[in-house]
Each structure stands twice: as structure tokens, then as C-alpha cells.
Amino acid sequence: MIRFQEDIYLLLQWLKKGKTHLSGEELSSKLKLTRSALWKKINFLRELGYNIDGQRSRGYMLIDTPDIPYPWEIDLEKSSLWKELIYFKEIGSTNTFAYSLAEEGAKEGTVLIAERQTGGRGRLGRQWHSPPKGNVYMSLILRPKIPPYFAPQFTLAAGVGVADSIRKVSGVTPEIKWPNDILLGRKKLSGILTELKSEMDRVSFIIVGIGVNLNSGLDDYPEQLRDQITTLMAFTGKRFNRNQFIKVLLDCLEGVFNLLLKAGFGAIKKRWEEYFCMKGEDVIISFERGILRGKALGIDESGAFLLRRMDGNVERVLSGDINFLRSI
Ligand code: BTN
């Protein structure tokens, strides 16, 4: 687990500013460190993947910064929501870890990001395959003062935030499949798993877990998944700077959560419908105890899915797995 470290942040600031070598003497006096403490920090950064040239006569120069979301690489200063970023090289599931941190009192706006997950979880008890190499596995701790039945609205809002960020960085407009699968070319690019702890009338916290297949190749996934999923790189043929994407994503998410709290769900619903790809389509919904068929109408004012059955009755659906009928 890697948390923000002020001295590492400051050292990197100097190294990033310096277009040439900075002497060890200069750096250690600027940072008020002994020469050997400075040397240890330079080595720590090298172990994390920073390419730092060191020459006895000239000092240190940063050659290359890895595209890894270390807490000091993602600036949260300008945000009024995001407070702390914690990075994991490997974890079971960021959602599971975030849940226990939240139970221990972690503050709202804590962001967990992992390079890879060994036990990534999806909706409906499914597995979320989480290979390393440039994807995003992120969990957010939120503590909105709302009753539990408003929580699904946060999931739908998060879907809009993810779709906005994909559009912003790639110029490609994704689609949303209810409740919040983000699709490109009808294949899954991103999924959201929201979990909450609540009392009868008030949420204590919500964990919004977001997985985005950003830079992995399709061959990083098991064969049986390859025709159902896509990655932004596979779809566009381009590699995306992950740290840049994470900044845009956090920004877009803050935007939609603020919109939800200030303007209400109506404003999110309108934005969500711009991305919704099932309106008017024949769909099939699978539940634990059976299936339903009908026409997708959209969502209602609480975020529930509306399905027109063959007999004309409209059914409100609160959970389940929806698919296009023709793709079955
Ligand atoms: C889905 O579409 O089924 C939801 C997938 C959610 C995956 C993310 S990855 C980060 C976070 N940690 C998890 O274990 N799951 C979520």
C-alpha cells in the first residue's frame, strides 16, 4: 500500500522542474535532508519505476516518470471531494479493502487504486478479470447524507461520469447498458459495482467500484471473455496515458456527484439517457428466479428500469441482468 509522502512529492517537484542534473548538495539542502537520506529516497523512486540518472560529478536528473497512479502523481488539490489517494501494486479487491477502511472510519473522498486485482468482483457475484498493464481498478468512499433507497442514483451518476471521461479523453462516445455497463461497439469497456453500509434511514457509506479496460490487449483476458469485452486501446488502436485518464475520470465523477446532490436525479437522468443504448429495443432480463422479456423503455425518476411486457403492462425492475434479445 502506498500513501502520499510529502518529501517524495517535493523531491519529484524539484526533479521535474530541473531540466538538467541537480547536485546532491543542492537537493539535500532544498529538502532539508542528509545526503544519505536523499540517496535512499532516490533509490525508493527508482524501485517504483522512475528513471533517474545519477552521476557522482553532476548529481541527479529525472529521465522518465512511469505512468503509474502513485498518490503524488494525481493532484487532488483543486478538488473539493477527493481527499486522499491510496495505491496498491496488487490487491484482492479494491472494493473489499475500501469497505473495511470505511468501516474503520476512512474519510469521504478516499480513492483506492490498484495495478491489478487477484479477486476483482463484479455485479451479481461475478468475477471482474483484472490484468495488470495500464487498466483502472478504483474504489471511492462516499458518505452522502441520504436514505439507502437513493443509493442506486449514485451508481447511475457514476456511469455518466465514466462515460463522460471516456468521451473526453478519446473522442469516442460510449453507450450505457442499464444499470451502468459502459459499452463500446456493444462490448463491455467498464463496469461499476456499488456497495453500501446503511442504517434503516441513513447511509453510513457507499463504495463505488469502477473497472475500466483502458490499455490492456484482448489477449490479456481469458478466451471465453474476448468476444464480450473490449478495451479503449483495442477499440481505438491508441494507448492512453493512464494518469491523465484518472485525473479526467475523478474530475468527471466529482462533476456528476455534485450535479446529483445539487440539482437532483432529474439532471442525472437526462445525462444518462444520452448514453442509454437500449431504448425501444427488445430485451431479456435474467433474475435469480427466472427471466422477463419485453421492450426497454428507459428509467424512472428513481433509477429503476422500465420494461413494457408483451401484454402492455409496464414493469419496474430494480436489479437483474439485461441483454438485447437478438444477441441471445
Ligand atoms: C460489473 O460490471 O460487474 C462491475 C465491475 C466492477 C469492477 C470494479 S474494479 C474496482 C472495484 N473492485 C472490485 O472488486 N470491483 C470493482
Side-chain angles (χ1 to χ4, degrees):
M1 174 184 338
I2 299 182
R3 298 186 111 122
F4 184 82
Q5 296 176 35
E6 181 82 20
D7 46 2
I8 291 293
Y9 170 74
L10 292 174
L11 170 56
L12 277 168
Q13 291 285 92
W14 284 112
L15 287 171
K16 283 177 184 175
K17 258 192 255 161
K19 298 273 173 284
T20 173
H21 285 80
L22 297 171
S23 77
E25 199 183 333
E26 193 184 346
L27 277 173
S28 28
S29 87
K30 279 186 164 115
L31 298 162
K32 300 193 176 55
L33 291 172
T34 63
R35 294 291 288 274
S36 90
L38 173 68
W39 184 80
K40 277 192 191 137
K41 292 193 193 301
I42 295 277
N43 273 351
F44 171 69
L45 283 172
R46 283 178 174 148
E47 273 162 29
L48 293 183
Y50 289 82
N51 181 355
I52 300 171
D53 182 51
Q55 291 179 26
R56 200 179 279 270
S57 56
R58 302 175 68 195
Y60 300 105
M61 181 173 161
L62 180 65
I63 310 289
D64 199 19
T65 301
D67 185 20
I68 300 176
Y70 294 126
W72 44 82
E73 294 294 342
I74 311 289
D75 184 11
L76 303 179
E77 285 283 290
K78 287 190 205 83
S79 161
S80 51
L81 176 60
W82 310 121
K83 297 283 183 294
E84 187 191 1
L85 192 151
I86 309 176
Y87 171 81
F88 301 81
K89 200 164 181 337
E90 183 179 298
I91 199 170
S93 151
T94 53
N95 258 39
T96 309
F97 205 95
Y99 199 97
S100 32
L101 278 188
E103 280 194 309
E104 289 160 18
K107 52 182 181 269
E108 162 155 279
T110 304
V111 179
L112 280 72
I113 299 184
E115 187 62 43
R116 65 179 301 201
Q117 299 184 114
T118 50
R121 295 187 290 113
R123 284 178 64 237
L124 310 168
R126 293 187 182 130
Q127 186 193 348
W128 185 258
H129 197 76
S130 311
K133 294 195 199 162
N135 282 345
V136 176
Y137 311 112
M138 173 193 274
S139 294
L140 311 167
I141 301 179
L142 300 172
R143 295 185 182 276
K145 296 181 181 60
I146 53 162
Y149 54 85
F150 280 134
Q153 300 183 351
F154 274 80
T155 317
L156 294 170
V160 174
V162 175
D164 283 349
S165 67
I166 299 289
R167 183 158 69 179
K168 235 177 181 163
V169 301
S170 70
V172 186
T173 302
E175 295 179 312
I176 297 185
K177 177 167 100 79
W178 187 87
N180 46 24
D181 283 1
I182 313 293
L183 312 179
L184 273 180
R186 295 275 150 107
K187 295 189 172 170
K188 190 150 164 173
L189 175 77
S190 165
I192 301 175
L193 174 68
T194 307
E195 296 177 296
L196 87 164
K197 181 162 179 178
S198 176
E199 288 153 30
M200 278 297 279
D201 52 359
R202 198 176 142 156
V203 160
S204 11
F205 59 79
I206 300 184
I207 308 297
V208 179
I210 300 170
V212 184
N213 305 334
L214 198 69
N215 284 320
S216 48
L218 289 181
D219 48 6
D220 293 320
Y221 295 87
E223 191 129 18
Q224 68 274 17
L225 279 183
R226 290 184 201 160
D227 59 339
Q228 299 161 34
I229 62 137
T230 190
T231 78
L232 198 55
M233 186 167 88
F235 190 81
T236 61
K238 282 189 267 180
R239 199 177 167 82
F240 290 83
N241 182 291
R242 182 167 49 156
N243 284 357
Q244 195 52 44
F245 174 72
I246 288 171
K247 286 177 204 165
V248 173
L249 174 62
L250 287 172
D251 220 42
C252 290
L253 290 165
E254 182 167 357
V256 290
F257 292 145
N258 278 336
L259 185 68
L260 175 61
L261 293 174
K262 291 194 181 121
F265 183 64
I268 293 294
K269 179 171 180 280
K270 225 165 116 204
R271 302 270 352 268
W272 190 90
E273 280 164 349
E274 289 168 27
Y275 291 113
F276 180 52
C277 62
M278 298 181 127
K279 198 175 169 93
E281 299 272 351
D282 291 322
V283 295
I284 182 161
I285 311 185
S286 335
F287 307 93
E288 243 168 62
R289 271 174 284 117
I291 55 162
L292 273 182
R293 284 173 191 210
K295 234 179 225 326
L297 297 181
I299 49 173
D300 70 7
E301 294 310 318
S302 68
F305 186 78
L306 298 176
L307 180 82
R308 189 193 302 285
R309 306 284 306 275
M310 306 296 182
D311 60 9
N313 286 331
V314 175
E315 195 99 32
R316 280 183 80 232
V317 180
L318 297 174
S319 81
D321 195 25
I322 307 198
N323 279 297
F324 296 100
L325 199 53
R326 57 190 151 72
S327 66
I328 299 285

